Amino acid sequence: MNLLTAPQTVPFGAAFVVMLGLAVLELVGLLSSFSPSEWIDHSLLPEPNSDAGLDGVLGWLHLGKVPTLILLVLLLAGFSICGYLVQMLASGVSGAYLPGLVASLPAGAGAIAAVRLLGGALGRIIPRDESSIVSEREFIGRVATITSASTREGLASQARLRDAHGRAHFLLAEPDVAGLVLADGMEVLVVSRVGSIYRVIANPHPTLM
């Protein structure tokens, strides 16, 4: 109990609490047919498209191969576990805990190692799209279902779309024609993309998949 309540271990306890919160968020999303991981990956974050610079670092950490939310859970779990182990070792050797900031340095290195090793294993299990460019090309011309209509003009609606492999993706959609109102459950046809927003029209062929 001293380990869990000591001020020097507060960063690691906080990381563990945040990790649990993210795990619960993903679970609730799965139960409600909305995956926060899919939304973050396809609407907020670009996938690495080169082996140099920041893209190279993100690719080394398997961003784009494993859902970002899962990588974040691995990072927080690794930081928390390694932090507690470092403090246990310090207490056993010197009889006192290290300052939280000092212990965070090796814990951070351990967290990155956890993402690299465990993320690689998960990347071989979890199928992912090859790149955001491929996803964008596949989405154009496909039918999506509005799952959360906007409450005011200018605010994008949320739509769910299934790709050629049957995987669900969540998009931000706006009407491509004036006067079109997007309602919950409405089927729309994706016609273009502007930034992170997909432009849609009413599905002209109800039998089109």
Side-chain angles (χ1 to χ4, degrees):
M1 291 302 298
N2 289 337
L3 178 67
L4 299 178
T5 59
Q8 296 90 335
T9 63
V10 167
F12 315 121
F16 185 77
V17 171
V18 173
M19 180 203 70
L20 290 179
L22 292 177
V24 171
L25 179 64
E26 180 69 8
L27 177 61
V28 172
L30 291 175
L31 294 177
S32 61
S33 299
F34 169 70
S35 172
S37 293
E38 290 284 352
W39 183 74
I40 291 173
D41 289 344
H42 294 283
S43 300
L44 297 182
L45 297 178
E47 295 181 7
N49 53 21
S50 74
D51 295 326
L54 180 59
D55 279 351
V57 174
L58 296 178
W60 186 78
L61 291 174
H62 309 294
L63 186 69
K65 301 176 183 176
V66 179
T68 304
L69 201 59
I70 293 181
L71 292 178
L72 185 56
V73 168
L74 291 177
L75 183 71
L76 292 170
F79 180 76
S80 179
I81 294 172
C82 290
Y84 282 124
L85 290 177
V86 168
Q87 293 292 38
M88 289 174 61
L89 180 62
S91 177
V93 173
S94 64
Y97 296 128
L98 295 173
L101 182 60
V102 175
S104 294
L105 297 178
I112 293 175
V115 172
R116 172 62 181 172
L117 296 175
L118 297 179
L122 290 175
R124 290 188 288 271
I125 299 174
I126 302 176
R128 303 291 294 164
D129 295 322
E130 285 74 12
S131 70
S132 59
I133 296 176
V134 172
S135 298
E136 178 181 354
R137 185 172 64 246
E138 289 183 351
F139 292 169
I140 305 301
R142 298 192 71 85
V143 173
T145 302
I146 301 299
T147 58
S148 178
S150 60
T151 56
R152 64 178 186 273
E153 186 177 356
L155 182 65
S157 300
Q158 177 185 288
R160 182 176 66 242
L161 175 149
R162 291 194 177 277
D163 61 21
H165 306 287
R167 293 191 294 266
H169 303 270
F170 289 86
L171 320 174
L172 294 178
E174 287 186 354
D176 194 54
V177 294
L180 177 62
V181 177
L182 303 180
D184 287 342
M186 178 180 179
E187 289 192 345
V188 294
L189 182 66
V190 179
V191 295
S192 64
R193 177 179 177 178
V194 180
S196 62
I197 305 297
Y198 287 84
R199 309 291 295 183
V200 300
I201 62 174
N203 183 12
H205 305 290
T207 59
L208 182 65
M209 299 299 292

